[in-house]
Amino acid sequence: AGGAGGAGTTAADAAMGADDGADGEDDLVVAGGGVAHNRVTSLLLQVYDGTSVPPPNHPCEVLAGDSHIAEELLGLTFTVSADSFFQVNSGAAELLYSKVREWAAPGPKAALLDVCCGTGTIGLTMATAAARVVGVDMSAPGIEDAKRNAAANGVTNATFLCSKAEDAMKQLVAAGAAGDGEAEFVGVVDPPRGGLHPNVTRALRTCKGLERLVYVSCNPMGSFIADCVKLCAPKEAGSRSVMRGPPFRLVKAVPVDLFPQTAHTELVALFERVGGDE
């Protein structure tokens, strides 16, 4: 289910027969006996009888409201479907994405590669600073949202691919080497809690022209540490080694608290390529 704040009567209110608090039926009782106004705009049901998470594109039934919700970040409007990833703390997400943009610092001739792009939030908020943006994600609903968001916000230099990141990067490098595209790349990765797939790490290390990488981690004490080692370890021989290509070095990192009063935090880290065979 998705929820978004807003004034007035929502589609979900109408669908559920709410009357904006006249009899209190649309209010929610919260801890301590307080009352919060119900601002649920969409209610969806996804039935799955498996033992793990549903597969991508598993159907959802809209019980009330719309199939998508809308959120605003850094002056852009984003439409989000039920199967797409989106940061739930919009105010803190603006701080997060502003720091990502500051550290990525794509130039006017650079191509920004947004890996695990979701609904396109990071790439679209940085599109005006880069020559072009290429977002990659394995989630088909997320990519459709990203394309819709680019069009809705008038962003014309962004492309979104439902693909493996390593395959998309090979195409970008080939185009740059052939003189058909940019030879300078800036990377942003925002993986799930499990971190980067070894094939993605290998592709990042062997991507020619990728000198700067910003890593957004939701698991800084877990998968980020393992990925940091793989990105920064000395170069190894062998076609199947993850540590192929020149390593990166960790330059700086800062936490961003998207989940107040919990033990969880996001981490933004900047990596830069080490020159030569160091």
Side-chain angles (χ1 to χ4, degrees), residues 2 10-12 15 41-44 62-70 80 82:
T10 65
T41 60
S42 298
L43 181 63
L44 293 86
V62 179
L63 301 182
D66 299 322
S67 60
H68 294 69
I69 62 173
V80 188

Side-chain angles (χ1 to χ4, degrees), residues 18-250:
D19 59 3
D20 200 27
D23 56 9
E25 290 183 358
D26 64 335
D27 289 339
L28 301 177
V29 178
V30 297
V35 175
H37 185 68
N38 182 357
R39 296 183 184 275
V40 175
T41 60
S42 298
L43 181 63
L44 293 86
L45 174 66
Q46 186 177 63
V47 178
Y48 180 63
D49 58 3
T51 57
S52 184
V53 296
N57 307 323
H58 195 70
C60 286
E61 179 185 358
V62 179
L63 301 182
D66 299 322
S67 60
H68 294 69
I69 62 173
E71 289 283 352
E72 291 187 3
L73 285 177
L74 297 174
L76 302 179
T77 300
F78 294 92
T79 300
V80 188
S81 61
D83 286 332
S84 300
F85 173 80
F86 196 87
Q87 295 286 1
V88 296
N89 188 335
S90 299
E94 290 189 328
L95 298 176
L96 176 73
Y97 296 148
S98 295
K99 181 58 65 176
V100 172
R101 174 170 176 157
E102 175 188 343
W103 286 3
K109 297 183 179 180
L112 174 70
L113 179 63
D114 184 6
V115 179
C116 306
C117 66
T119 56
T121 49
I122 292 179
L124 292 177
T125 57
M126 299 172 62
T128 57
R132 63 169 173 156
V133 173
V134 179
V136 186
D137 204 294
M138 291 290 289
S139 169
I143 290 298
E144 289 305 310
D145 285 346
K147 293 177 179 178
R148 188 182 300 111
N149 291 330
N153 288 286
V155 178
T156 59
N157 64 334
T159 303
F160 294 97
L161 307 173
C162 185
S163 167
K164 294 181 179 179
E166 57 269 29
D167 294 339
M169 291 172 66
K170 288 179 182 178
Q171 298 175 18
L172 284 174
V173 173
D180 298 326
E182 299 79 6
E184 176 188 350
F185 302 103
V186 176
V188 177
V189 293
D190 186 7
R193 290 190 64 80
L196 295 172
H197 190 281
N199 289 343
V200 177
T201 307
R202 183 185 299 112
L204 291 169
R205 288 193 53 145
T206 57
C207 181
K208 295 181 179 179
L210 180 61
E211 300 296 325
R212 191 162 53 258
L213 176 69
V214 178
Y215 190 127
V216 181
S217 175
C218 60
N219 191 8
M221 299 302 293
S223 58
F224 172 76
I225 296 175
D227 286 341
C228 185
V229 170
K230 295 172 185 176
L231 289 169
C232 299
K235 179 179 179 181
E236 290 184 356
S239 60
R240 299 186 63 84
S241 172
V242 173
M243 278 75 81
R244 293 176 58 203
F248 291 89
R249 66 184 181 93
L250 178 60

